[in-house]
Amino acid sequence: MMMNRPVRVRFAPSPTGPLHIGGVRTALYNYLFARKHGGKMILRIEDTDSQRFVPGAEEYILESLKWCGIEIDEGVGVGGPHAPYRQSERRDLYLKYALQLVEAGWAYYAFDSAESLDARRKEAEEAGRAFAYNHEVREELETSLRLSKEEVEERIARGDQYVIRFKMPVDEIVKMDDLIRGHVEVNTSTLDDKVLYKSADQLPTYHLANIVDDHLMEISHVIRGEEWLPSLPLHYLLYRAFGWQDLQPEFAHLPLLLKPTGGGKLSKRDGDKMGFPVFPLFWTSPTTGETARGYREDGYFPEAFINMLALLGWNPGTEQEIFSMQELVEGFSLDRVSKSGARFQPDKAKWFNAQYMHHKSNEELAAIYQPILREHGIEVSDELAGKAAGIMKERAQLVTDLWDLTSFFFVAPTTYEEKQAKKYWKGENPRILKEVRDVLASIDDFSLEHTEEVVHAWIQEKGYGMGQVMNTLRLALVGAGKGPGMYDVTAFIGKEECLKRIDNLFENLTPAE
């Protein structure tokens, strides 16, 4: 791996919709690589495909990266010495480079209409072969390779639409190196002549724009998804055509994120079918109104989400699974990135989040839980919010679990779990609960330890069953057979609330015969 120049990587998404978690992982690996080598992380928005542009998608990308803790050193939203960083704002730049390739004999004008190309494709299909726009046909078609210079100039002058295509060399072996996949060789005769520039919208295609921008932005390493691997020979040849071989970046193509079943790329449909998000944040399409779940809104911590993503395709070489961002930076290397696809596991994602939940302090939990409490009309101190979440955090996987697990701390039950009521709200239990009420009412020091000591001594003295007493009390205070130890509940809600909830049970539920 060349390290004889400053490391500069870029994440270059297209604003065509919400950012898939595969894209987030690409951004993350770029970020980790940059930080590991003291380099810069650049964000470039590749919005040259005007047909697929989606309003709000760029803002979604920026907010997603911010939530994930992926810091941008230079680019959209930050600025820098190579501005602008949106390709649509650089559109005047690309024609110059496309024309440079035409002048050097590396590209040519093509005036073919969509109808004529469709006819060619149909003709090829009828002959049992696929149509390719390549060295075999380019001098037969309406191109500057066949037309006279004067005719080409005349057609451009009168406004005929054209594209500029790369002139792929014939029968040449392109030798390439990938930091993940190793050495690759491709014969150019198997490749077609890709479009580089379109006069219709005066915009370049991805191939031209990303090569020009990577060069001008001094990108040292291109770390991107494996879907771009087939384009690598063209990109190598473009660097050669421009005479930029000595400054060509090194390439690394990341493996796909696969469906939980292992077959094929992870998609939104998989998430919808199996009940998990495939995007970092909630998304509403501004054109169709269609929505997509997000990890943030589903109750995941950004650091857990990032930890989970980092290990989908990268192996640290140890048994360690929980990593802080700094630990990921220190441990990350491209030579430990897998060549094969990484199967996404929804349950493992929840497991990661649970590990982070269990290690949160009450202060951290309070900050997370307070907005949820306010949504339910509960106004309490940070201390109480954090304490409630802290008591139940070992049973929570997601932030969204906290309300269901702790709501009884803040809201007295008005209904009672049928199964629990049938089992415990009968026989002698109502009479025993009245006695428990009297015991609780007599306690001045209502701390967890003292209350437990007094009640346990009383139960032993009376000879009652511990489960019989505690489960009946739980029905009154919680309304269901769930929750932490009963003395956690009594200490949290206090004496008056305990007595009130016991009275409510007698008022609202008739004991079974």
Side-chain angles (χ1 to χ4, degrees), residues 99 109 111 150-162:
L99 295 177
Y109 294 100
F111 297 93
E150 291 74 24
E151 189 172 356
V152 169
E153 289 174 352
E154 182 184 325
R155 293 187 71 160
I156 292 173
R158 73 175 180 233
D160 285 10
Q161 288 189 5
Y162 64 86

Side-chain angles (χ1 to χ4, degrees), residues 284-319:
T284 302
S285 169
T287 51
T288 66
E290 184 183 11
T291 61
R293 291 166 60 179
Y295 277 86
R296 180 178 66 182
E297 290 75 15
D298 266 28
Y300 287 80
F301 299 117
E303 57 269 37
F305 173 67
I306 284 297
N307 193 157
M308 175 271 295
L309 263 189
L311 294 173
L312 285 175
W314 171 72
N315 179 352
T318 68
E319 296 299 311

Side-chain angles (χ1 to χ4, degrees), residues 413-425 471 474-476 478-483 505 509:
T414 54
T415 59
Y416 300 90
E417 188 180 87
E418 187 177 351
K419 182 180 176 183
Q420 193 79 352
K422 279 185 177 180
K423 190 171 183 181
Y424 294 106
W425 199 230
N471 282 302
R474 183 179 297 278
L475 179 67
V478 177
K482 65 177 185 179
L505 177 60
L509 197 62

Side-chain angles (χ1 to χ4, degrees), residues 94-145:
Y94 303 113
L95 179 57
K96 178 184 80 169
Y97 287 98
L99 295 177
Q100 182 180 320
L101 293 176
V102 174
E103 288 295 317
W106 279 99
Y108 58 91
Y109 294 100
F111 297 93
D112 314 280
S113 66
E115 293 76 20
S116 68
L117 290 179
D118 284 342
R120 282 269 183 173
R121 288 189 191 94
K122 188 175 180 182
E123 183 183 312
E125 284 171 14
E126 289 172 354
R129 53 187 171 78
F131 172 72
Y133 204 124
N134 59 15
H135 68 279
E136 294 179 347
V137 301
R138 63 194 178 201
E139 296 192 24
E140 302 170 6
L141 300 171
E142 292 186 72
T143 71
S144 57
L145 301 176

Side-chain angles (χ1 to χ4, degrees), residues 23 28 135 139 185 192 200 214 233-234 246 248 254 273-274 277 286 308 310 342 381 414 468 486 496 506:
L28 174 63
H135 68 279
E139 296 192 24
E185 295 187 0
D192 56 354
D214 283 350
L234 171 60
D246 293 344
Q248 176 178 309
L254 306 174
K273 189 191 305 180
M274 299 181 69
M308 175 271 295
S381 67
T414 54
Q468 178 185 29
M486 281 316 301
E496 286 186 22
F506 280 103

